[in-house]
């Protein structure tokens, strides 16, 4: 059988004019957009697309073009020549082309673009003759050599930049437009020398066809370049999509003051406001706008400078938005007052903009409510919940610097100046802010690691701004007062020096930068958010609860419309102060009597907390889990105790007065007793030790105390008029009899308290399914349970045999090397942990068809895992309070996709 790769007649290349079927998968987003616009009769320079299939074939053939591709590309080039009346490589009337990447999913700035291709020593003269503008032709030539040198021949960009800066410094205005033809000739010569030296004697290729061949290969190669690979990993984009290559006749924005180039969004990408938002530069090429090397003007100003082109552009932007029914990000060039469109794609936007645009478009009749719900990604919604800086005007907090508010939200971190430092320091769990003069795609991994990005140069559409917005990270660009000194690893603003490692706070919504850690406040959510969430709620089948440990958390969760508490970790109520002391006393108690005394103290605290949570959650279910302390979390550290004891002994040897000696002896005595207790309870592997229901089984008085606290609180709060629905959950069950035993105890104490109080409380008893054995014998366990809640944190830990506490050190290696697609503690491993969930659901419900089933591990707030839970037939997910809106939206999207018949791979 002949494969596509061997078929000589297989189509690898399409002219823009040939396709109008929005074949994004094949032509890439850019190619499909250009084909659509060509068909709509919009002014698009002619061109062709080499398909994503060709890219995949290139990799399948060990980086060789597939059979027939090059011939088809040359034929397509002939077609362009005929359309524009110029010839590729012609000395008198040369055709120049751009060569750009374009995957089916937008990956802004992640792959490569080469402009002005086709220039050489001869064609540059032809370009001069064509345009009558020697300066322009030489400028185009020097740009081409540096771009080609950098992208295709791997020469560092700075090498060219340094030469350009040196020549610019010799001009009056220090601008590239001030360079004379003589200077440009010298620059070109210098550039060619750089390439010769860097490429060990290889000359810059003069043959335009060779240039084209090399450029196409370089674009294919950029698909597997580090920044593209990193971007795909972060955005969960598959590696096998491949990139298309568009080859298009050049139009020039740098042909004087009636030419220009720019980028515009049909709605404001930060706020969503319905207004044309963008920037342009006259007498410039595209890279000048995005590189941040010249400061562009707001698009509205174009009305005064080139009114006809501006009005035509306005009309076209509206047409494009209407056609795609989404906010568009449009690149254009004006050559001698003639407008050309070079790209249209769905614009990247902030969370706030995404919500507003989705809701506005429903009101404008452009999309329906279901589409609106699908338009906002859960992570975009998450951005809305980002904190902002709380600056009390009275507090005298000084703004260190201001820049362009490029991506909203506030963040704090220690200053770093290189992406590698950002990555390395963040790996140790520290927060960093990446400070750069300007960012380039090579900084991407540092941006991923950083909390936020601050740049000294660049505008609102610069690389830093676009990428940070896409990632939902705060970003301030163009803070020109920053004097950044990479060699000293510091920046300064009017004499204030901020070295590497110093904390700063950055407010991407206002563009302000502060030294130190300023208080952050949570945002309030606007009407659009509530409207969208309302539409989402109409679609979802999964209920969304929250994991809360305090009445305050419960209130936050309820405000986000959580439909109950899915997990209250009662041991978390004892992590601090006198509560921790009481907890320790209980754990260390020698015998039932001592333990009951300590439990008395805990009872009061628990009762108080439960009452608060029941009050806030009146009318909604509250799942309270019995104590599940891996004991080491509460006990003093054995090693530290030994050190303290030895310190006390040394102090005793040095002690000179009797009272001090007596005091020290008493402390040593107590410490020894504690040490003995800790040694007695010491476990080599506490996560698999005496925790969960195993504690309640050996110390039933602990369960008794907790159940008493729950029911005393429930009776009290119900007596005050609230509706209380406690669900008591037993942790770490792996044997049905463990649950049977604990459930009987719970029922006994519940009856006792209800009798004492003369009240009836409706309650249920269930269990966590968080061990593989529990999932496998879910049928037997279900006989004693009213509900299950999957504890996927422990289930992941025990299925993989990976420690929750320690695996962070090496899991990143697994993910980076694609041994695992994701960190399984963040994204549910559907393949095996997921299979155990499915088994648990199926076996549990076979015995008890109306068994209520939820999930309360960290995965319950993660969108892909939520989609899995929907498919697996769970009743609810329970996540942290701030993830509740994200979970509501993700659950709605899962339900919409499900009804649309999309298949989720559950294998
Ligand atoms: C779990 O294991 O998933 C769970 C929710 O319990 P914890 O994280 O408290 O062990
Ligand atoms: Mg657990």
């Amino acid at each position: 059988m002949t494969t596509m790769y061997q078929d000589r007649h297989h189509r690898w290349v399409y002219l823009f004019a040939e396709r109008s079927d929005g074949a994004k998968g094949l032509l890439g987003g850019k190619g499909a957009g250009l084909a659509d616009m060509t068909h709509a009769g919009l002014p698009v320079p002619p061109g062709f697309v080499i398909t994503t299939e060709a890219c995949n074939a290139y990799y399948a053939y060990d980086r060789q073009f597939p059979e027939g591709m090059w011939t088809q590309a040359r034929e397509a080039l002939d077609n362009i020549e005929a359309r524009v009346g110029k010839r590729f490589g012609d000395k008198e009337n040369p055709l120049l082309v751009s060569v750009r990447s374009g995957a089916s999913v937008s990956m802004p700035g992640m792959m490569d673009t080469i402009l002005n291709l086709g220039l050489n020593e001869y064609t540059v003269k032809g370009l001069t003759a064509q345009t009558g503008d020697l300066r322009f032709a030489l400028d185009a030539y020097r740009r081409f050599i540096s771009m080609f040198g950098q992208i295709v021949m791997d020469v560092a960009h700075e090498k060219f930049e340094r030469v350009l800066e040196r020549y610019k410094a010799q001009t009056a205005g220090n601008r590239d437009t001030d360079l004379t033809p003589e200077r440009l000739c010298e620059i070109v010569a210098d550039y060619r020398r750089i390439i010769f030296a860097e490429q060990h004697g290889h000359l810059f290729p003069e043959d335009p066809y060779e240039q084209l061949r090399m450029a196409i290969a370089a674009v294919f190669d950029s698909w597997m370049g580090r920044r593209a690979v990193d971007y795909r990993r972060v955005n969960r984009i598959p590696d096998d999509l491949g990139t298309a290559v568009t080859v298009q006749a050049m139009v020039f924005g740098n042909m004087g003051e009636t030419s220009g180039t720019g980028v515009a969004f049909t709605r404001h990408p930060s706020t969503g406001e319905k207004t044309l938002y963008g920037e342009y530069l006259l007498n410039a090429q595209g890279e000048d706008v995005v590189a941040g090397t010249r400061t562009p003007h707001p698009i509205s100003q174009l009305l005064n400078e080139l009114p006809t082109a501006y009005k035509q552009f306005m009309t076209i932007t509206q047409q494009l938005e209407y056609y795609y029914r989404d906010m568009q990000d449009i690149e254009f060039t004006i050559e001698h007052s003639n407008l050309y469109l070079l790209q249209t794609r769905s614009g990247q936007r902030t969370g706030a903009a995404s919500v507003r645009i989705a809701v506005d478009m429903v009101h404008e009749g452009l999309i329906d409510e279901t589409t609106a719900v699908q338009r906002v990604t859960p992570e975009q919604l998450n951005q809305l919940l980002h904190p902002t800086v709380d600056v009390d005007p009275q507090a005298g907090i000084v703004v260190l610097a201001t820049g362009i508010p490029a991506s909203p939200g506030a963040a704090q971190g220690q200053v770093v100046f290189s992406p590698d430092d950002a990555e390395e320091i963040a790996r140790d769990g520290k927060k960093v802010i990446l400070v750069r003069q300007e960012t380039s795609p090579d900084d991407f991994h540092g941006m991923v690691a950083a909390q936020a990005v601050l740049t000294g140069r660049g505008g609102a559409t610069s690389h830093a701004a676009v990428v940070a917005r896409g990632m939902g990270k705060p970003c301030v660009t163009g803070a020109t007062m920053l004097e950044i000194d990479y060699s000293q690893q510091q920046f300064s603003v009017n004499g204030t020096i901020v070295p590497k490692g110093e904390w700063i706070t950055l407010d991407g919504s206002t563009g302000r930068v502060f030294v130190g850690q300023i208080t952050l406040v949570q945002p309030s959510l606007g009407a659009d958010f509530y409207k969208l969430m309302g539409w989402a709620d109409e679609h979802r089948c999964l209920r969304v609860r929250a994991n809360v440990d305090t009445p305050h958390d419960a209130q936050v969760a309820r405000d986000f419309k959580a439909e109950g508490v899915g997990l209250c970790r009662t041991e978390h109520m004892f992590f601090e102060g006198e509560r921790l002391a009481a907890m320790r006393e209980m754990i260390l108690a020698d015998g039932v009597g001592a333990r009951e005394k300590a439990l008395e103290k805990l009872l009061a605290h628990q009762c108080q907390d439960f009452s608060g949570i029941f009050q806030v959650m009146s009318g909604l279910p509250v799942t309270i889990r019995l104590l599940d302390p891996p004991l080491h979390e509460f006990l003093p550290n054995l090693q530290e105790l030994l050190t303290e004891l030895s310190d006390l002994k040394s102090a005793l040897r040095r002690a000179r007065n009797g009272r001090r000696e007596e005091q020290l002896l008493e402390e040593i005595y107590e410490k020894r007793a504690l040490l003995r207790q800790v040694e007695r309870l010491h476990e080599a592997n506490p996560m698999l030790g005496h925790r969960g229901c195993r504690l309640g089984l050996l110390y039933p008085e602990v369960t008794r105390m907790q159940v008493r606290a729950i029911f005393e609180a429930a009776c009290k709060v119900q007596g005050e008029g609230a509706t209380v629905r406690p669900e008591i959950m037993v942790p770490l069950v792996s044997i049905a009899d463990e649950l049977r035993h604990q459930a009987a105890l719970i029922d006994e104490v519940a009856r006792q308290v209800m009798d004492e109080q003369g009240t009836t409380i409706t309650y249920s008893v269930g269990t966590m399914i968080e061990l593989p054995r529990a999932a496998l014998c879910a049928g037997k366990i279900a006989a004693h349970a009213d509900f299950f809640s999957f504890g996927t944190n422990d289930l992941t830990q025990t299925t993989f045999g990976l420690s929750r506490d320690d695996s962070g050190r090496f899991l990143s290696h697994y993910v980076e090397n694609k041994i695992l697609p994701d960190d399984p503690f963040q994204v549910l491993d559907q393949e095996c942990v997921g299979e155990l969930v499915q088994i648990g659901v199926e076996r549990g419900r076979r015995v008890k068809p109306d068994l209520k089933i939820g999930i309360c591990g960290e995965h319950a707030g993660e969108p892909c895992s939520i989609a899995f839970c929907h498919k697996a037939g769970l009743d609810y997910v329970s996540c942290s309070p701030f993830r509740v809106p994200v979970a509501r939206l993700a659950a709605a999207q899962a339900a919409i996709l499900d009804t649309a018949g999309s298949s989720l791979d559950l294998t």
Side-chain angles (χ1 to χ4, degrees):
M1 200 179 75
T2 323
T3 68
M4 158 173 88
Y5 298 160
Q6 293 156 337
D7 175 6
R8 296 189 58 231
H9 304 292
H10 187 81
R11 286 289 299 271
W12 304 109
V13 174
Y14 292 93
L15 295 168
F16 295 162
E18 275 183 303
R19 303 278 309 222
S20 62
D21 49 2
K24 242 173 144 181
L26 189 66
L27 305 184
K30 188 174 289 147
L34 288 164
D36 284 344
M37 292 196 290
T38 303
H39 266 268
L42 300 179
V44 175
F48 61 88
V49 188
I50 304 174
T51 64
T52 53
E53 281 178 357
C55 176
N56 287 332
Y58 174 79
Y59 283 104
Y61 273 147
D62 204 13
R63 302 198 185 218
Q64 302 289 325
F65 292 159
E67 173 112 43
M69 189 204 96
W70 180 242
T71 314
Q72 291 173 27
R74 288 194 64 146
E75 283 164 12
L77 200 60
D78 293 346
N79 185 291
I80 305 183
E81 287 178 340
R83 280 171 193 261
V84 297
K86 298 176 187 173
R87 293 189 58 98
F88 197 54
D90 195 284
K91 289 178 192 154
E92 263 111 54
N93 190 20
L95 166 69
L96 303 186
V97 295
S98 64
V99 179
R100 295 158 165 239
S101 58
S104 60
V105 276
S106 171
M107 294 170 58
M110 292 303 137
M111 288 176 295
D112 293 329
T113 290
I114 298 147
L115 303 179
N116 307 339
L117 188 134
L119 279 174
N120 59 23
E121 279 185 81
Y122 306 103
T123 53
V124 73
K125 292 187 185 128
L127 185 63
T128 311
Q130 235 174 32
T131 58
D133 189 341
L134 174 64
R135 209 210 82 84
F136 158 76
L138 288 166
D139 188 51
Y141 193 26
R142 69 100 192 149
R143 285 169 187 271
F144 171 53
I145 298 177
S146 69
M147 251 188 207
F148 194 91
Q150 181 196 342
I151 291 163
V152 183
M153 303 184 84
D154 241 2
V155 179
H157 174 65
E158 293 78 53
K159 299 225 175 248
F160 300 113
E161 203 51 28
R162 235 175 277 144
V163 171
L164 185 65
E165 290 297 329
R166 198 173 68 233
Y167 281 97
K168 266 166 49 178
Q170 293 163 16
T171 64
N174 197 19
R175 288 174 309 200
D176 49 1
T177 44
D178 295 328
L179 295 164
T180 59
E182 293 71 32
R183 293 289 87 79
L184 287 167
C185 276
E186 287 164 21
I187 293 173
V188 163
D190 282 0
Y191 279 6
R192 292 168 70 97
R193 268 194 292 275
I194 290 172
I195 290 180
F196 186 72
E198 292 285 316
Q199 285 286 303
H200 312 292
H202 277 93
L203 287 169
F204 178 77
E206 295 293 337
D207 175 6
Y209 286 100
E210 179 60 8
Q211 293 172 358
L212 182 60
R213 199 193 54 72
M214 289 171 75
I216 293 169
V219 171
F220 283 160
D221 288 339
S222 69
W223 176 251
M224 283 298 170
R226 173 165 185 188
R227 56 193 142 110
V229 171
D230 281 351
Y231 186 90
R232 287 201 294 276
R233 182 167 44 79
V234 172
N235 292 283
R236 308 174 62 80
I237 299 169
D239 281 337
D240 58 4
L241 294 181
T243 181
V245 183
T246 59
V247 178
Q248 189 175 23
M250 281 296 303
V251 283
F252 297 98
N254 52 340
M255 294 194 77
E257 294 305 311
T258 57
S259 301
T261 189
V263 183
F265 295 83
T266 54
R267 305 197 182 208
H268 197 299
S270 287
T271 64
E273 190 191 341
K274 194 176 179 193
T275 174
L276 192 67
Y277 174 85
E279 294 170 328
Y280 73 98
L281 278 171
L282 287 188
N283 199 11
Q285 277 201 317
E287 81 267 21
D288 299 327
V289 180
V290 282
T293 41
R294 270 163 72 184
T295 303
H297 310 297
I299 192 85
S300 54
Q301 212 170 302
L302 190 63
L303 176 64
N304 307 327
E305 302 201 273
L306 296 172
T308 313
Y310 177 77
K311 284 179 197 151
Q312 188 192 0
F313 183 61
M314 280 293 280
T315 311
I316 289 175
T317 59
Q318 282 157 15
Q319 283 172 337
L320 285 172
E321 188 181 273
Y322 185 78
Y323 177 78
Y324 287 106
R325 310 214 164 216
D326 195 9
M327 184 263 253
Q328 295 295 293
D329 162 2
I330 302 164
E331 273 179 32
F332 65 95
T333 282
I334 300 167
E335 182 182 287
H336 291 316
S337 300
N338 293 316
L339 173 73
Y340 294 95
L341 299 167
L342 301 182
Q343 172 157 306
T344 187
R345 62 181 169 191
S346 281
Q348 298 258 337
R349 62 205 79 174
T350 63
S354 187
V355 171
R356 177 162 176 189
I357 291 168
V359 173
D360 282 356
M361 284 193 168
V362 171
H363 293 149
E364 291 162 28
L366 282 172
I367 57 174
D368 60 16
E369 293 170 7
T370 310
T371 311
V373 170
Q374 291 169 288
R375 278 284 166 81
V376 179
T377 66
E379 283 316 317
Q380 282 175 327
L381 197 67
N382 198 28
Q383 282 178 35
L384 289 192
L385 315 168
H386 277 326
T388 49
V389 174
D390 180 22
V391 183
D392 178 359
Q394 312 298 319
I397 293 170
V398 185
V399 177
L400 175 71
T402 48
I404 296 167
S407 182
Q412 309 177 326
Q414 290 170 278
V415 168
V416 290
F417 293 94
S418 84
D420 290 345
D421 276 353
E423 199 175 53
E424 195 181 318
I425 296 172
R427 206 176 284 137
D428 293 339
K430 293 191 181 144
K431 293 183 173 177
V432 296
I433 293 196
L434 181 62
V435 180
R436 300 285 289 164
Q437 196 60 269
E438 65 211 357
T439 64
S440 77
D442 289 336
D443 295 317
F444 181 68
H445 60 292
M447 297 176 77
V448 171
Q451 301 293 313
V453 180
L454 169 63
T455 69
R457 289 199 217 142
T461 55
S462 65
H463 177 268
V466 172
V467 174
R469 254 194 321 260
M471 290 195 288
K473 298 210 170 188
C475 177
V476 173
T477 55
T480 48
M481 60 286 277
L482 255 63
E483 284 179 26
I484 300 173
D485 187 342
Y486 289 137
S487 62
Q488 297 288 318
Q489 292 283 290
Q490 63 178 44
F491 72 79
S492 63
V493 180
N494 300 329
T496 305
I497 292 177
V498 180
K500 178 179 166 187
E502 175 127 1
W503 281 84
I504 60 170
T505 299
L506 182 143
D507 185 352
S509 311
T510 60
R512 293 173 303 172
V513 182
F514 308 85
V515 176
Q517 293 171 269
I518 312 291
T519 318
L520 303 182
V521 280
Q522 302 308 324
S524 63
L525 300 161
D528 289 340
F529 168 83
Y530 292 105
K531 176 133 284 165
L532 186 88
M533 293 313 295
W535 294 334
D537 287 344
E538 283 168 24
H539 285 283
R540 70 186 157 90
C541 311
L542 282 170
R543 294 191 166 272
V544 177
R545 300 195 192 180
N547 294 354
V548 308
D549 303 329
T550 64
H552 172 266
D553 288 357
Q555 190 59 55
V556 173
R558 187 139 205 185
D559 292 345
F560 282 132
K561 296 239 175 344
E563 295 160 291
V565 171
L567 174 64
C568 172
R569 292 175 164 103
T570 50
E571 62 278 4
H572 282 196
M573 296 166 164
F574 297 102
F575 272 149
E576 56 182 9
E578 60 177 44
R579 291 173 166 223
L580 177 61
M583 184 75 171
R584 273 194 184 156
E585 196 181 320
M586 188 278 286
I587 293 172
L588 294 168
D590 219 350
V592 181
R595 191 155 33 252
E596 277 178 343
K597 220 169 108 214
L599 284 168
E600 265 309 294
K601 294 183 197 161
L602 296 181
L603 178 79
H605 292 306
Q606 294 240 288
C607 209
Q608 193 188 353
D609 290 341
F610 294 152
S611 301
I613 294 174
F614 286 144
Q615 264 152 4
V616 174
M617 285 288 164
S618 175
L620 297 173
V622 175
T623 306
I624 296 173
R625 184 177 71 183
L626 300 182
L627 277 178
D628 176 20
L631 295 180
H632 69 300
E633 287 181 16
F634 292 92
L635 292 179
N637 181 289
L638 186 64
Q639 209 50 48
E640 279 169 21
L641 273 181
L642 286 168
T643 314
E644 281 164 20
L645 191 60
S646 121
D647 289 349
L648 283 172
K649 283 180 187 165
S650 319
L652 182 64
R653 277 195 296 275
R654 287 195 308 270
R656 294 282 168 261
N657 83 48
R659 264 198 65 180
R660 176 75 185 130
E661 277 173 344
E662 229 169 79
Q663 202 185 351
L664 283 166
L665 275 169
E666 201 172 315
E667 278 181 46
I668 288 171
Y669 177 77
E670 278 171 16
K671 202 63 78 184
R672 275 209 186 115
L674 183 59
L675 188 63
R676 269 197 305 277
Q677 297 283 56
V678 171
E679 275 170 345
R680 181 172 61 83
L681 292 169
H682 179 71
E683 294 178 310
N685 197 343
M687 270 291 184
L688 300 178
H690 194 198
R691 58 175 285 218
C693 64
R694 299 161 195 171
L695 197 73
L697 270 146
L698 267 78
Y699 304 150
E701 56 278 14
V702 176
T703 303
R704 282 181 195 283
M705 177 283 287
Q706 288 211 283
V707 179
R708 171 161 288 279
I710 294 167
F711 280 87
E712 284 185 2
C715 292
K716 173 176 159 284
V717 175
Q718 188 164 280
E720 289 161 4
T723 308
V724 184
R725 289 175 52 200
E727 299 181 339
I728 295 133
M729 181 155 76
V730 181
L732 219 74
V733 163
S734 58
I735 306 160
D737 260 2
E738 289 173 327
L739 182 61
R740 188 182 58 77
H741 177 279
Q742 289 290 287
L745 197 55
I746 292 166
D747 287 337
E748 181 199 314
V749 178
R751 243 187 335 267
Q752 217 172 32
V753 179
M754 288 190 290
D755 285 350
E756 283 165 20
Q757 306 282 332
T759 310
T760 305
I761 303 285
T762 312
Y763 71 96
S764 55
V765 178
T767 182
M768 307 239 350
I769 301 289
E770 51 185 341
L771 295 171
R773 193 181 197 283
L776 295 172
C777 67
K780 285 186 181 164
I781 292 175
H784 310 288
D786 300 318
F787 65 89
F788 282 174
S789 179
F790 283 97
T792 44
N793 302 335
D794 274 309
L795 193 57
T796 300
Q797 168 166 259
T798 47
T799 303
F800 277 89
L802 266 177
S803 160
R804 285 165 69 164
D805 295 334
D806 305 316
S807 56
R809 289 192 208 141
F810 56 86
L811 269 180
S812 57
H813 174 86
Y814 272 57
V815 176
E816 272 157 28
N817 290 285
K818 297 205 161 50
I819 296 167
L820 277 173
D822 300 285
D823 177 341
F825 290 106
Q826 287 170 15
V827 182
L828 189 79
D829 162 51
Q830 295 186 16
E831 190 183 353
C832 292
V833 180
E835 187 176 356
L836 283 170
V837 170
Q838 286 175 298
I839 290 172
V841 170
E842 196 257 317
R843 294 187 186 173
R845 288 221 176 110
R846 205 186 304 151
V847 170
K848 211 171 248 181
D850 59 349
L851 189 71
K852 191 159 55 166
I853 304 182
I855 169 177
C856 60
E858 287 311 306
H859 307 93
E862 192 283 319
C864 295
S865 316
I866 291 172
F868 174 86
C869 293
H870 168 87
K871 276 279 185 185
L874 266 53
D875 296 298
Y876 67 88
V877 296
S878 185
C879 55
S880 68
F882 275 98
R883 292 298 287 185
V884 167
V886 171
R888 285 163 63 198
L889 182 66
Q893 291 178 342
I896 293 169
L897 272 180
D898 198 19
T899 18
S902 145
S903 63
L904 175 77
D905 187 6
L906 290 185
T907 54

